[in-house]
């Protein structure tokens, strides 16, 4: 789920008649595409579930309901639960600024939004350690006030925030730029307040893009490994998220447990994808 | 309500969009702001609406400075060039919007809103389309929805930005007549921006012609067409034939033509040009004086007026329009030399010292 940038909602292409390739070519292309998809996406996903249920349903349920796994699930949901709303807010503000106004440094801001896509997640994690770690910039001040960020929940939330922040902004900037500001101006002339203009005119126009961005943001927030791994400290039951917990179990040769927990993540991913498909359908109709 | 625009200037960076523009719109008048694209007319309209602010100068509504009032408080109806209808709302909700966003204290009851919107949709002849979405309407229908939406807030002024710009010719004609009738019915002070001189002359009580951020002329359609204040206005309001030359000693010497020019009696000579519209040129077979010889190159006899193109001896091309019966009695052949005489020639000094 990492590193997917930008909108992939291409317009439903209408293939012009007379431009289709000969049948064998079409078959070959389809076979190659499907074969690739099967080998690299379907088979691994199936493998996760096969391994997870390999020792029976009971073993699966006990692995999933084990306290550490439960704590990891909870932490993952907390991190995503904080990061996603905040990034939604940030994304809205940034997209509003970029889409509706001209100002100095606009290009710089647009580029900076993509920064988390550009840097490796491990480095994002390191940055937070360098800032808030014991030897970091704010380290002495933080330890003097007995505030723990690195190797604690706040660090995980920060890292998650960082890596998942471009998604919402990226999704709605094109929508906002395309719609321009005439409808907002019309609303203003008709006497609507800024608040009313936003909720009655702007938001309905971007709602599908916004929802799509939130879904992608959520997927990234729940699945993030690298950055979180650096700041987490891997304390079982305290600072382990689901992806980290999977790694720990795997390193302890508890393959069945690892895959069982991984299947939870896979379920979350599938639900996310399902939501995404629904949103896409609705947004095309709308 | 009257609008008084006083010394308004506005720049975007180093580009001066408006330079000291002043004119008045009297209550109940329909005024056209006419000019080529980029002349500042839309900027001026947006300043009047409160969507943009002037760098200098003031806009008075009924003698009262409107500068401090926000767009929503000015009670103006604004019709955008591309309509700017709310895409996610039905036609009915679009029109109702201005009433629904009022503060609770002044917001009319639902039944009142429904009645008002229905009445407005009837006025624009779209009451059967209330539950459609803007994307399901034709351009002309969208335009009328935009108008109904603007009228819903009972504006004191109606401002229209290129109201017919995006429509095809036939719909444009219809809407134009319809808007004229509507204006006669409700007598709302209205200003519309256009780059189409025909539209301005046909529709407006008064035409304000703008060029490069300044007012070139302000007058009735007849005034600006018959008595253009400058070469620009003359040029902009239709096709013209131009005869270049100079003025001196109270005479304008324009190639083969010469006419009196009492505005410049001094002996020094200044570059000038004479302008005549195609229908102001007459053709004949004999030298009647005060004209020039030219060879007929093309004739376009479609319609009640025949358009001719002639080539003068100095190579200049002349456009002439003659009535069909005149053309038929004369029956000129292509290539024939004809005598062209301007019935009327307007002379403008081209370079001010």
């Amino acid at each position: 789920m990492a590193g997917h940038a930008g909108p992939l909602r291409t317009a439903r292409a209408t293939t012009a008649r007379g431009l289709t390739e000969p049948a064998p070519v079409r078959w070959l292309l389809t076979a190659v595409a499907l074969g690739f998809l099967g080998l690299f996406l379907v088979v691994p996903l199936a493998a996760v579930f096969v391994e997870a249920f390999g020792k029976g349903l009971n073993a699966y349920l006990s692995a999933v309901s084990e306290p550490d796994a439960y704590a990891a699930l909870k932490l993952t949901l907390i991190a995503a639960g904080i990061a996603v709303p905040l990034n939604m807010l940030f994304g809205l503000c940034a997209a509003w600024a970029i889409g509706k106004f001209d100002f100095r440094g606009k290009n710089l801001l647009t580029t900076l939004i993509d920064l988390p896509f550009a840097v490796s997640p491990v480095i994002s994690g390191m940055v937070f350690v360098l800032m808030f770690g014991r030897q970091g910039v704010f380290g002495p001040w933080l330890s003097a006030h007995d505030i723990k960020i690195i190797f604690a929940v706040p660090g995980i939330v920060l890292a998650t925030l960082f890596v998942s922040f471009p998604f919402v902004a990226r999704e709605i900037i094109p929508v906002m730029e395309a719609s321009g500001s005439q409808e907002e101006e019309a609303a203003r002339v008709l006497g609507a307040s800024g608040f009313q203009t936003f909720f009655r005119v702007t938001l309905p126009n971007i709602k599908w893009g916004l929802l799509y961005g939130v879904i992608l943001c959520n997927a990234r927030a729940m699945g993030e490994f690298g950055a979180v791994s650096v700041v987490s400290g891997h304390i079982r039951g305290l600072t382990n998220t689901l992806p980290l917990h999977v790694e720990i179990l795997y390193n302890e040769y508890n393959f069945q447990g690892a895959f069982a927990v991984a299947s939870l993540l896979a379920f979350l991913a599938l639900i996310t994808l399902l939501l995404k498909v629904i949103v896409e359908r609705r947004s095309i109709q709308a | 309500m009257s609008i008084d625009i006083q010394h308004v200037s506005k720049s975007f960076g180093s580009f001066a969009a408006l330079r000291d523009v002043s004119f008045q719109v009297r209550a109940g008048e329909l005024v056209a702001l006419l000019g080529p694209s980029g002349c500042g007319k839309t900027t001026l309209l947006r300043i009047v609406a409160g969507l943009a602010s002037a760098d200098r100068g003031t806009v008075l509504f009924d003698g009262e400075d409107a500068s401090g009032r926000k767009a929503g408080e000015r009670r103006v109806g604004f019709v955008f060039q591309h309509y700017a209808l709310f895409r996610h709302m039905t036609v009915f909700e679009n029109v109702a919007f201005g009433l629904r966003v009022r503060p609770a204290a002044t917001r009319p009851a639902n039944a009142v809103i429904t009645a008002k919107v229905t009445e407005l949709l009837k006025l624009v002849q779209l009451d059967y389309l209330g539950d459609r979405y803007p994307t399901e309407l034709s351009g002309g229908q969208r335009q009328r929805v935009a108008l109904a939406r603007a009228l819903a807030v009972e504006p004191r002024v109606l401002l229209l930005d290129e109201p017919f710009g995006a429509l095809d010719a036939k719909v444009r004609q219809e809407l134009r007549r319809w808007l004229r009738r509507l204006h006669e019915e409700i007598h709302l002070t209205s200003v519309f921006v256009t780059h189409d001189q025909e539209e301005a002359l046909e529709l407006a009580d008064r035409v304000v012609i703008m060029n490069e951020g300044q007012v070139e002329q302000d007058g009735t359609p007849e005034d600006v067409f018959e008595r253009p204040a400058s070469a620009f206005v003359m040029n902009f309001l239709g096709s013209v034939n131009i005869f270049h030359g100079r003025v001196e000693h109270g005479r304008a010497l324009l190639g083969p033509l010469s006419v009196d020019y009492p505005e410049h009696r001094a002996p020094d000579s200044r570059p000038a040009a004479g302008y005549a519209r195609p229908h102001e040129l007459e053709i004949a077979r004999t030298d009647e004086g005060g004209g020039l010889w030219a060879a007929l190159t093309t004739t376009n006899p479609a319609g009640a007026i025949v358009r001719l193109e002639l080539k003068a001896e100095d190579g200049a091309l002349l456009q002439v329009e003659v009535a069909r019966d005149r053309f038929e009695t004369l029956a000129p052949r292509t290539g024939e030399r004809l005598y062209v005489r301007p019935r009327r020639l307007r002379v403008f000094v081209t370079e001010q010292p």
Side-chain angles (χ1 to χ4, degrees):
Chain A
M1 245 175 241
H4 150 67
L8 281 179
R9 258 172 309 146
T10 44
R12 294 281 137 102
T14 46
T15 33
R17 268 171 203 284
L19 275 178
T20 49
E21 303 292 336
V25 177
R26 270 185 287 152
W27 280 107
L28 187 70
L29 284 173
T30 316
V32 167
L34 284 181
F36 192 85
L37 201 72
L39 198 61
F40 289 96
L41 286 175
V42 179
V43 171
L45 189 66
V48 168
F49 285 102
V50 168
E51 281 286 339
F53 290 98
K55 288 185 182 161
L57 188 64
N58 282 339
Y60 176 82
L61 287 178
S62 69
V64 171
S65 57
E66 180 224 0
D68 287 350
Y70 178 73
L73 176 65
K74 206 171 113 186
L75 183 55
T76 296
L77 292 178
I78 287 174
I82 297 174
V84 171
L86 282 180
N87 278 336
M88 186 173 114
L89 205 65
F90 165 78
L92 272 173
C93 295
W96 178 271
I98 288 170
K100 309 276 179 190
F101 301 102
D102 273 315
F103 53 92
R104 262 166 194 275
K106 180 169 159 171
N107 282 336
L108 188 70
L109 182 61
T110 318
T111 314
L112 277 180
I113 286 174
D114 284 340
L115 190 69
F117 283 151
V119 297
S120 155
V122 176
I123 295 170
S124 331
M126 295 291 290
V127 170
F128 286 107
V129 173
L130 288 175
M131 274 167 62
F132 302 114
R134 193 163 295 206
Q135 266 76 46
V137 183
F138 301 108
W141 187 87
L142 287 171
S143 56
H145 290 78
D146 202 22
I147 300 170
K148 230 171 140 30
I149 288 181
I150 299 305
F151 306 143
V153 176
I156 291 171
V157 171
L158 276 179
T160 308
L161 256 177
F162 182 81
V163 293
S164 63
F165 102 8
F167 290 94
V168 174
R170 271 280 140 225
E171 276 303 319
I172 49 183
I173 286 169
V175 186
M176 282 212 178
E177 280 183 334
S179 62
S181 44
Q182 283 226 319
E183 284 184 47
E184 278 81 5
E185 287 187 339
R188 266 171 62 202
V189 176
L190 289 169
S193 66
F195 202 67
Q196 286 172 321
T197 305
F198 179 77
F199 280 101
R200 286 171 180 255
V201 177
T202 310
L203 200 57
N205 276 337
I206 58 164
K207 66 180 171 194
W208 296 117
L210 180 66
L211 205 54
Y212 190 78
V214 164
I215 287 169
L216 288 178
C217 178
N218 183 50
R220 180 69 194 258
M222 291 193 306
E224 177 54 25
F225 179 83
V228 170
S229 173
V230 175
V231 296
S232 141
H234 304 267
I235 308 164
R236 274 182 193 230
L238 284 178
T239 63
N240 253 355
T241 61
L242 277 182
L244 300 183
H245 194 58
V246 171
E247 196 213 13
I248 289 182
L249 291 174
Y250 188 82
N251 285 346
E252 289 169 348
Y253 303 104
N254 183 357
F255 295 136
Q256 193 268 334
F259 279 107
V261 175
S263 77
L264 285 183
L265 268 178
F267 272 127
L268 290 177
L270 287 176
I271 292 170
T272 308
L273 279 179
L274 191 73
L275 283 177
K276 192 185 106 162
V277 170
I278 295 170
V279 167
E280 277 181 348
R281 286 251 169 88
R282 295 290 307 269
S283 70
I284 283 163
Q285 283 164 9
Chain B
M1 190 186 65
S2 69
I3 309 171
D4 198 349
I5 294 159
Q6 295 181 337
H7 309 290
V8 167
S9 297
K10 171 90 179 169
S11 304
F12 299 104
S14 60
F15 173 70
L18 294 171
R19 290 185 278 182
D20 194 26
V21 171
S22 301
F23 65 88
Q24 287 190 353
V25 180
R26 288 181 283 273
E29 221 177 7
L30 178 57
V31 169
L33 266 180
L34 174 67
S37 50
C39 73
K41 55 196 191 300
T42 294
T43 306
L44 185 61
L45 200 70
R46 290 173 59 84
I47 288 173
V48 174
L51 288 170
S53 57
D55 296 341
R56 278 186 304 283
T58 47
V59 176
L60 307 179
F61 284 176
D62 268 342
E64 188 190 326
D65 189 355
S67 314
R69 277 191 278 163
K70 281 187 274 177
E73 298 162 358
R74 294 193 182 194
R75 294 204 31 218
V76 295
F78 200 102
V79 177
F80 290 83
Q81 186 178 2
H82 300 292
Y83 324 128
L85 295 178
F86 305 126
R87 278 167 288 171
H88 61 283
M89 290 182 205
T90 60
V91 165
F92 186 94
E93 284 305 316
N94 261 284
V95 178
F97 185 87
L99 301 171
R100 291 210 198 282
V101 296
R102 287 209 186 144
T106 54
R107 193 187 310 139
N110 242 326
V112 179
I113 293 181
T114 307
K116 173 107 194 168
V117 173
T118 312
E119 179 200 317
L120 278 166
L121 285 176
K122 272 204 187 101
L123 181 73
V124 298
Q125 298 153 8
L126 287 175
D127 44 328
Y128 61 103
L129 289 178
D131 52 357
R132 298 280 190 89
Y133 283 88
T135 47
E136 300 168 320
L137 306 183
S138 71
Q141 289 170 336
R142 284 182 212 183
Q143 181 63 280
R144 283 183 282 157
V145 175
L147 198 62
R149 183 179 68 176
L151 292 174
V153 293
E154 290 173 4
R156 299 182 297 171
V157 189
L158 187 62
L159 306 172
L160 306 108
D161 186 8
E162 297 272 3
F164 315 114
L167 302 169
D168 57 65
K170 193 166 173 290
V171 180
R172 201 142 84 194
Q173 274 287 348
E174 274 169 23
L175 260 182
R176 229 189 259 173
R177 273 184 222 128
W178 179 81
L179 186 68
R180 180 76 238 181
R181 273 203 311 276
L182 183 77
H183 183 258
E184 273 154 19
E185 239 170 78
I186 60 178
H187 266 292
L188 184 61
T189 310
S190 309
V191 181
F192 73 100
V193 155
T194 180
H195 62 263
D196 181 341
Q197 82 280 356
E198 215 180 290
E199 198 167 285
L201 297 177
E202 183 184 319
L203 205 53
D205 299 321
R206 212 151 50 82
V207 182
V208 175
I209 297 169
M210 290 184 63
N211 181 35
E212 293 181 350
Q214 286 171 311
V215 174
E216 287 273 340
Q217 193 174 0
D218 171 359
T220 63
E222 201 201 334
D223 267 344
V224 295
F225 193 77
E226 292 297 325
R227 290 171 289 281
S230 66
F232 172 83
V233 174
M234 183 76 199
N235 240 325
F236 193 74
L237 290 183
S239 41
V240 282
N241 294 291
I242 306 177
F243 303 92
H244 292 283
R246 58 187 199 280
V247 288
E248 58 190 41
H249 291 115
R251 291 287 288 174
L253 310 166
L254 310 159
L257 309 173
S258 84
V259 288
D260 281 338
Y261 188 68
E263 288 90 337
H264 186 78
R265 295 206 179 276
D268 62 314
S269 114
R270 288 217 192 126
Y275 293 77
R277 299 215 179 274
H279 69 266
E280 291 165 344
L281 293 179
E282 283 173 346
I283 50 170
R285 284 221 162 75
T286 51
D287 185 341
E288 293 166 333
L292 70 162
W293 285 99
L296 181 63
T297 53
T298 50
T299 42
N300 178 3
I305 278 171
V306 182
R307 293 195 169 80
L308 309 174
E309 194 173 87
L310 296 96
K311 197 170 189 175
E313 272 152 1
D314 61 357
L317 286 178
L318 301 174
Q319 315 288 333
V320 180
E321 286 174 8
V322 293
R324 174 161 283 277
D325 43 357
R326 169 70 184 144
F327 177 77
E328 276 164 1
T329 44
L330 199 67
R333 295 178 315 277
T334 305
E336 188 181 346
R337 267 164 53 86
L338 296 168
Y339 194 75
V340 181
R341 194 180 69 85
R343 225 176 313 147
R344 180 167 188 193
L345 200 60
R346 296 175 188 80
V347 178
F348 296 103
V349 172
T350 45
E351 263 171 63
Q352 299 294 339

